Amino acid sequence: MLGGLFNSFLKLTNPTPRFTPERCLLTRYAVGGCSKCQDVCPHNAIDLSGNTVTISEVNCTGCGLCTQVCPSGALEFDIESTMHAIHKQQGAESTLACSQLSTPHPTLKCLARVTPASLVAAGAWNKEVTLLHGDCASCPVGGPEVLRHLMDVVDKADQYREATGQPLKVNLQQGQNATAENKGAIVSRRGIMGSLLGTAKQVVADLIPEQPLPFVDWSDPRERIPTDWIWRKKALKPSPAPDTEVYWVTPQVNDECNFCPVCMNVCPTEAIKREITPEGDFRILLEVASCTGCGACIPSCPQEAMFEQTHRPFSTLSEVVVLKEQAQGPNWFDEPLEEEGTSTGQEE
């Protein structure tokens, strides 16, 4: 019985984000790799040995900083609950507060859980959003880097909304100091375990983080696109005119491309494809909506033929575009096969 209770406790108190290895630039062996999640983690909870991401369920507080900086969506929390918290608030204003504040507003474990998609959606609903933070410098959840990365998220969401003509309205404010009950609240599994073993009076149920997302079914192409990028596109409302340039970072290819498959192999969402035409030529294709703009293909290109493009016509977000194609030659299927024993060389 005690073993069952302990296992249930471990399951419920897992604060870590979902990790999808196929989307990780390390797992994809992209040139230069990526260590952003490890670099930003304030609790040394992330290990990158073995070309994969391992997160300590003991040290992780679930702040979300790693999900904010992950360029390919390999690390993610559920964002739809955050979007629902914004949408369900009555009137033209919504507030999200960090968990270290005593407030009647909906709270997130940390404002590092706020992503571009949730703010782009708020703009589509014409909501003015106030993000209420506490004393980040001394916060046991996310720490002093939260505000800087949160401002980056706001700036990025603003860039997405620019083409809609309905700009983003976000206020970043510091709330009142945490109450005695919340200040220094236990935020990690290690802290909760210590509370239990020390028979603390704090209600542990209030400290239990949400359960992690289910694993992605990589065999389903629809699940290869991170949820945040799906909603960034969905929430571009009012819809811009088809030829309006919208902020959507994607790769572009110059004449140095020799049609090798490296960009396709490192792409974390398989947005880049290489196909052969009936004429026997190669084409490099990009499914724009699937591209996260991670940039893994750019340093990985052996010919240095790829570069970043920050804007695209709105109509192309639903298209597969040709990045590069060869000049068409004769169709393979129209060419007569040589008869056995014939020679194409000159007679001696």
Side-chain angles (χ1 to χ4, degrees), residues 69-264:
V69 301
C70 180
S72 61
L75 293 167
E76 56 188 340
F77 283 111
D78 172 36
I79 66 165
E80 293 183 1
S81 58
T82 302
M83 294 167 59
H84 178 67
I86 294 173
H87 185 263
K88 72 178 182 180
Q89 296 181 53
Q90 299 296 319
E93 299 180 359
S94 294
T95 299
L96 293 177
C98 89
S99 62
Q100 298 296 289
L101 296 176
S102 178
T103 171
H105 302 294
T107 61
L108 297 175
K109 188 69 178 291
C110 177
L111 291 185
R113 293 286 191 99
V114 176
T115 63
S118 54
L119 297 182
V120 175
W125 300 320
N126 206 20
K127 289 270 194 178
E128 182 173 353
V129 179
T130 297
L131 301 175
L132 212 56
H133 67 89
D135 182 10
C136 295
S138 60
C139 178
V141 184
E145 288 294 302
V146 168
L147 285 182
R148 180 170 68 87
H149 288 287
L150 184 58
M151 287 188 285
D152 289 343
V153 167
V154 172
D155 289 343
K156 186 172 290 186
D158 194 41
Q159 288 179 287
Y160 281 109
R161 290 227 49 88
E162 185 177 357
T164 68
Q166 192 164 294
L168 186 68
K169 293 177 285 188
V170 175
N171 304 308
L172 188 58
Q173 298 179 6
Q174 182 166 2
Q176 296 179 351
N177 292 333
T179 64
E181 292 80 11
N182 284 349
K183 189 168 184 176
I186 300 167
V187 293
S188 65
R189 179 182 284 183
R190 186 193 302 277
I192 297 174
M193 182 67 73
S195 177
L196 284 172
L197 295 177
T199 62
K201 296 180 180 180
Q202 196 165 15
V203 180
V204 176
D206 292 338
L207 305 174
I208 294 177
E210 67 208 34
Q211 295 188 51
L213 293 170
F215 287 106
V216 174
D217 178 7
W218 195 250
S219 65
D220 185 350
R222 294 170 299 180
E223 292 195 26
R224 295 176 187 172
I225 309 174
T227 305
D228 207 78
W229 274 264
I230 291 174
W231 277 103
R232 291 181 199 190
K233 178 176 177 288
K234 279 185 177 181
L236 287 178
K237 305 291 183 181
S239 298
D243 59 347
T244 302
E245 293 286 320
V246 299
Y247 177 74
W248 197 273
V249 179
T250 55
Q252 190 53 272
V253 179
N254 63 30
D255 292 337
E256 298 299 317
C257 173
N258 66 356
F259 300 96
C260 79
V262 171
C263 57
M264 177 181 70

Side-chain angles (χ1 to χ4, degrees), residues 268-281:
T269 56
E270 298 188 357
I272 299 177
K273 302 287 187 184
R274 187 184 69 160
E275 72 170 18
I276 192 167
T277 69
E279 293 76 28
D281 298 322

